[in-house]
């Protein structure tokens, strides 16, 4: 019983991390119509930058949360630069854009290997959250509960942003029909930069937040990107609700798979994807952004 | 992806066909002479690598170039063939059984890939193939009891077709060359067949092809199977070449390298992928001799080619040569060269 409860909490935690990662991925896909294959790299770069800020490699040490936020901002800037300098040159050529993101992801992975070496870096759990919550005879790590809370807060904030603000309305219009959005005077190409930076920042933040759970290692990008892909294939592109539900589903399947069939954990992820592709190719919530 | 540059240049000179045949014969002879000219084992091995990756790129090009469907999961299919072959050999089966089983397994996997990925086209097709390829990679990496995980599977012997030993690099080169030539011929025949024309039709005008009564999905499916078959052949060659298989050969980078071969040489041309394979294999080997950052270079080359030479090196060179020739032969009117649509 305790085992299952713990596994459930771990699944929800991992789902929360995946949501932070895939919400941006899904929005970028919805708006720009391309899968951003650097998204796993952004997750990893955020984590690496965060660990550097934490460890004092730059001459000063920061609080965990501050480090996470600064890392997220740095990754967001990198994302905006990439959108402006590379993807913008290839506007309208989706295939070329996808290939460029793929090329950049390889460059990023190699640069990280060069900068931070090949050994995994573990990230200390922020002080104050190292304890446990006791419930139903089991001890749940406080930090994992915190990650769930953060994910839920971000989900609500993103939903409010999309639903209640002018920017959100413009993004929804852009996802629905970019041409019409342009006609009514929305600067869609500016939205591209904003959403790309937002998605990058979220991914970088998720990387750092995930650090105490996953640690940081070369290949983290390649571990996370397919998960984000599966989440978006499950949930439907451009859908916030879809990426939320998809993340939780993938979190459960991945964690339960790892516990019950450790050798086939990656493979069992395949099954829901197959089902969705066969029964509902547009994804569970495809076509609706919220 | 890119439309092929007007594929067959019809010449009005009657001797052109003969000249073409002579050129092909000379090229084939020259390819067989390679290990006698460059005798060092290292270079013969690199030549074998070029040929086996060329088979891979030819297979990928059937999809990317002629069907207009960009796959980022082909290293997975390559890996299925390689792993099944290596696993059965390690389990003590003969080469004939292992190779046959590897081909069948890879074709079954290809059918699965096709059935899922062909529910979409364009960008979604890329995403689905990428996810599928990563899942095969995950299996190879994690299913340790079967695949040995990171340690991979070693293969100790090479097959002996017609009693000829392939143990020497030169003999292996010759065998790879024969298979490569068969692959090129197969793709050439495929492209010129009515089926190849129909496939190009589904790439350029799927809705019109549908309206004309062609079964677009089925055409794409069989093109995928053909592509998978060539990929599987390359995977089996790879196992025998390295006598080892590990998850690294299935990683996303491997799929991306294959795609780089196709698009750098020129997607949708017969020999573009071969040139691309030679380019990538040679650059990779040269690069790894001097610098350790091959992945960075791979990414940088990718970005550079996509941004600056989107139609690939072979069509790009043809275009440049043609416009230079035209500029010389007549006073140049102000023309705008249209960039090929992606």
């Amino acid at each position: 019983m305790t085992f299952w409860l713990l596994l459930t909490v771990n699944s929800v935690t991992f789902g929360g991390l995946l949501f932070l990662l895939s919400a941006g991925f899904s929005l970028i896909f919805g708006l720009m119509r391309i899968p951003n294959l650097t998204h796993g790299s952004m997750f990893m770069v955020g984590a690496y930058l965060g660990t550097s800020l934490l460890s004092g490699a730059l001459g000063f040490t920061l609080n965990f949360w501050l480090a996470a936020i600064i890392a997220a901002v740095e990754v967001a800037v990198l994302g905006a630069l990439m959108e402006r300098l590379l993807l913008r040159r290839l506007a309208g050529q989706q295939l070329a854009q996808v290939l460029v993101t793929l090329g950049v992801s390889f460059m990023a992975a190699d640069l990280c290997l060069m900068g931070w070496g090949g050994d995994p870096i573990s990230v200390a759990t922020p002080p104050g959250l190292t304890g446990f919550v006791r419930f139903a005879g089991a001890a749940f790590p406080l930090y994992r509960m915190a990650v769930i809370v953060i994910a839920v807060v971000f989900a609500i904030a993103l939903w409010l942003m999309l639903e209640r603000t002018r920017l959100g309305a413009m993004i929804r219009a852009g996802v629905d029909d970019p041409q019409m959005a342009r006609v009514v005077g929305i600067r869609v190409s500016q939205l591209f930069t904003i959403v790309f930076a937002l998605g990058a920042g979220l991914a970088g933040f998720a990387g750092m937040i995930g650090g105490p759970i996953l640690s940081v290692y070369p290949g983290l990008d390649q571990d996370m990107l397919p998960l984000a892909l599966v989440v978006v294939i499950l949930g439907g592109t451009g859908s916030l609700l879809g990426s939320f539900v998809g993340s939780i589903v993938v979190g459960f399947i991945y964690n339960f798979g790892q516990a019950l069939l450790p050798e086939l954990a990656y493979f069992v992820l395949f099954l829901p994807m197959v089902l969705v592709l066969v029964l509902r190719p547009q994804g569970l919530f495809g076509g609706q952004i919220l | 992806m890119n439309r092929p540059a007007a594929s067959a240049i019809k010449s009005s000179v009657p001797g052109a066909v003969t000249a073409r045949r002579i050129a092909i014969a000379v090229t084939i002879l020259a390819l067989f002479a390679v290990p006698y000219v460059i005798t060092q084992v290292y270079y013969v091995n690199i030549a074998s690598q070029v040929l086996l990756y060329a088979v891979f790129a030819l297979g990928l090009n059937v999809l990317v170039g002629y069907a207009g469907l960009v796959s980022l999961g082909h290293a997975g299919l390559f890996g299925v063939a390689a792993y099944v072959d290596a696993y059965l050999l390690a389990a003590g089966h003969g080469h004939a059984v292992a190779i046959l089983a590897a081909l069948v397994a890879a074709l079954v996997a290809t059918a699965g890939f096709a059935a899922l990925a062909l529910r979409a086209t364009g960008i979604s097709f890329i995403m689905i193939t990428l996810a599928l390829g990563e899942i095969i990679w995950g299996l190879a990496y994690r299913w340790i009891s079967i695949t040995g995980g990171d340690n991979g599977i070693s293969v100790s012997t090479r097959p002996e077709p017609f009693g000829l030993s392939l143990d020497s690099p030169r003999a292996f080169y010759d065998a790879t060359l024969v298979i490569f030539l068969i692959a090129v011929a197969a793709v050439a025949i495929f492209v010129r067949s009515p089926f190849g024309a129909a496939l190009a039709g589904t790439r350029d005008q799927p809705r019109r092809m549908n309206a004309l009564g062609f079964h677009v999905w089925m055409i794409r499916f069989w093109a995928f199977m053909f592509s998978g078959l060539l990929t599987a052949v390359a995977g089996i060659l790879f196992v025998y070449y390295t006598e080892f298989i590990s998850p690294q050969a299935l990683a996303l980078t491997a799929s991306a390298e294959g795609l780089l071969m196709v698009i750098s040489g020129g997607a949708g041309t017969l020999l573009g992928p071969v040139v691309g394979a030679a380019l990538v294999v040679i650059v990779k080997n040269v690069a790894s001799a001097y610098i350790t950052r091959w992945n960075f270079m791979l990414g940088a080359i990718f970005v550079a080619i996509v941004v600056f030479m989107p139609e690939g090196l072979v069509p790009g060179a043809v275009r440049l040569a043609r416009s230079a020739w035209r500029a010389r032969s007549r006073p140049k009117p102000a023309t705008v060269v249209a960039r090929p649509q992606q």
Side-chain angles (χ1 to χ4, degrees):
Chain A
M1 182 63 203
T2 319
F3 172 75
W4 298 109
L5 259 177
L6 268 174
L7 206 52
T8 306
V9 170
N10 286 351
S11 304
V12 178
T13 310
F14 195 64
L17 273 182
L18 277 181
F19 172 72
L20 290 179
L21 178 70
S22 56
F25 186 85
S26 183
L27 275 181
I28 292 172
F29 199 118
L31 192 65
M32 302 175 66
R33 308 287 194 271
I34 58 163
N36 167 29
L37 300 185
T38 54
H39 225 72
S41 321
M42 289 163 168
F43 185 89
M44 182 172 75
V45 169
Y48 270 127
L49 287 173
T51 56
S52 285
L53 292 169
L54 262 188
S55 69
L58 305 173
F60 52 91
T61 48
L62 286 175
N63 166 297
F64 179 85
W65 303 107
L66 209 54
I69 290 167
I70 293 178
V73 172
E74 286 171 341
V75 177
V77 170
L78 288 176
L81 282 177
M82 187 177 130
E83 202 282 323
R84 279 276 152 182
L85 300 179
L86 275 176
L87 299 182
R88 184 58 52 91
R89 294 176 64 112
L90 301 166
Q93 306 175 34
Q94 290 165 331
L95 180 60
Q97 289 180 326
V98 177
L99 296 179
V100 163
T101 62
L102 183 66
V104 172
S105 78
F106 291 150
M107 291 161 76
D110 222 23
L111 284 177
C112 283
L113 189 61
M114 208 170 2
W116 284 278
D119 293 328
I121 301 174
S122 58
V123 181
T125 308
L129 290 176
T130 48
F132 293 87
V133 183
R134 297 203 176 276
F135 175 76
F140 302 103
L142 206 52
Y143 184 71
R144 287 178 186 258
M145 310 306 253
V147 170
I148 297 174
V149 173
I150 292 170
V152 170
V153 168
F154 267 86
I156 294 171
L158 277 173
W159 180 77
L160 284 176
M161 191 272 280
L162 283 171
E163 182 66 24
R164 296 289 157 84
T165 67
R166 191 179 159 77
L167 176 67
M170 293 199 297
I171 293 175
R172 275 183 288 144
V175 171
D176 259 1
D177 193 333
Q179 274 89 19
M180 279 311 285
R182 279 208 176 86
V183 169
V184 299
I186 296 170
R187 293 176 63 186
V188 175
S189 59
Q190 199 177 47
L191 283 184
F192 282 7
T193 315
I194 294 171
V195 167
F196 209 86
L198 177 71
L202 277 174
F205 184 71
M208 186 58 191
I209 296 291
I213 300 170
L214 302 169
S215 80
V216 197
Y217 52 91
L220 179 62
D221 53 344
Q222 282 217 42
D223 280 353
M224 298 309 284
L225 178 67
L227 295 179
L229 276 175
V230 173
V231 166
V232 171
I233 291 174
L234 276 183
T237 56
S239 163
L240 193 64
L241 180 63
S243 45
F244 191 81
V245 175
S247 299
I248 301 293
V249 170
V250 171
F252 267 91
I253 295 172
Y254 191 67
N255 275 281
F256 275 76
Q258 261 187 338
L260 304 176
L261 299 163
E263 293 199 317
L264 299 177
Y266 229 75
F267 189 67
V268 286
L269 276 176
F270 183 63
L271 298 175
M273 202 180 90
V274 172
L275 277 180
V276 166
L277 281 174
V278 170
L279 300 175
R280 209 178 143 78
Q282 72 272 41
L284 295 175
F285 301 92
Q288 41 194 117
I289 183 166
L290 290 174
Chain B
M1 177 172 113
N2 294 319
R3 277 132 215 253
S7 50
I9 307 150
K10 293 271 183 277
S11 179
S12 52
V13 187
V17 176
T18 331
R20 201 186 165 90
R21 280 185 188 153
I22 292 171
I24 292 172
V26 168
T27 313
I28 291 174
L29 281 178
L31 283 172
F32 273 108
V34 164
Y36 299 92
V37 179
I38 44 163
T39 46
Q40 281 146 295
V41 169
Y42 176 74
Y43 293 108
V44 175
N45 278 335
I46 287 189
S48 302
Q49 254 190 69
V50 167
L51 292 178
L52 85 86
Y53 277 110
V55 175
F56 181 40
L58 281 167
L60 186 54
N61 185 38
V62 168
L63 262 184
V64 175
Y66 294 110
L69 299 165
V70 178
S71 161
L72 269 177
H74 259 53
L77 301 173
F78 183 89
V80 168
Y83 264 104
V84 170
D85 191 45
Y87 179 77
L88 289 179
L89 288 176
H93 292 274
H95 286 287
V97 174
I99 291 174
L100 211 61
L103 287 175
V104 170
L107 284 176
V108 170
T110 308
F113 268 48
L116 289 172
L118 284 177
R119 296 191 68 84
T121 53
I123 303 297
S124 306
F125 184 88
I126 301 183
M127 274 174 58
I128 296 169
T129 51
L130 197 163
L132 291 173
E134 288 289 282
I135 282 159
I136 304 267
W137 171 84
L139 271 182
Y141 187 57
R142 299 266 177 84
W143 200 3
I144 298 167
S145 50
I146 299 288
T147 64
D150 232 359
N151 297 325
I153 305 177
S154 293
V155 173
S156 48
T157 56
R158 285 174 177 170
E160 297 186 356
F162 312 111
L164 301 167
S165 165
L166 298 184
D167 286 336
S168 78
R170 190 177 289 181
F172 191 79
Y173 173 85
D174 288 339
T176 313
L177 179 56
V178 170
I179 293 170
F180 163 77
L181 290 173
I182 294 171
V184 172
V187 174
I189 292 168
F190 172 84
V191 170
R192 274 158 214 192
S193 68
F195 186 84
L199 182 65
T202 64
R203 171 194 62 196
D204 296 331
Q205 295 291 349
R207 296 171 85 179
R208 287 186 198 171
M209 288 299 285
N210 196 23
L212 285 171
F214 286 91
H215 197 318
V216 172
W217 190 91
M218 201 52 93
I219 291 171
R220 287 178 172 154
F221 178 82
W222 287 111
F224 208 138
M225 292 300 279
F226 181 48
S227 172
L229 177 66
L230 289 175
T231 308
V233 169
I236 294 167
L237 283 175
F238 176 83
V239 167
Y240 286 127
Y241 170 74
T242 55
E243 304 191 309
F244 175 69
I245 180 74
S246 76
Q248 219 192 338
L250 286 68
L252 177 57
T253 34
S255 286
E257 273 172 26
L259 193 57
L260 182 62
M261 292 171 193
V262 173
I263 61 173
S264 67
T269 59
L270 179 60
L271 294 179
V274 180
V275 175
L279 183 87
V280 170
V281 170
I282 291 169
V283 170
K284 186 175 175 177
N285 280 285
V286 171
S288 58
Y290 294 100
I291 52 170
T292 50
R293 308 253 78 95
W294 161 245
N295 275 346
F296 186 84
M297 275 194 62
L298 173 69
I301 297 174
F302 228 109
V303 172
I305 285 185
V306 171
V307 173
F308 298 113
M309 216 182 196
E311 78 265 61
L313 297 178
V314 173
V318 168
R319 174 171 61 89
L320 290 178
R322 262 196 214 144
S323 58
W325 186 78
R326 259 191 228 132
R328 211 187 42 174
S329 59
R330 67 178 131 92
K332 192 168 164 55
T335 52
V336 179
V337 178
R339 272 166 73 93
Q341 282 290 308
Q342 290 285 316

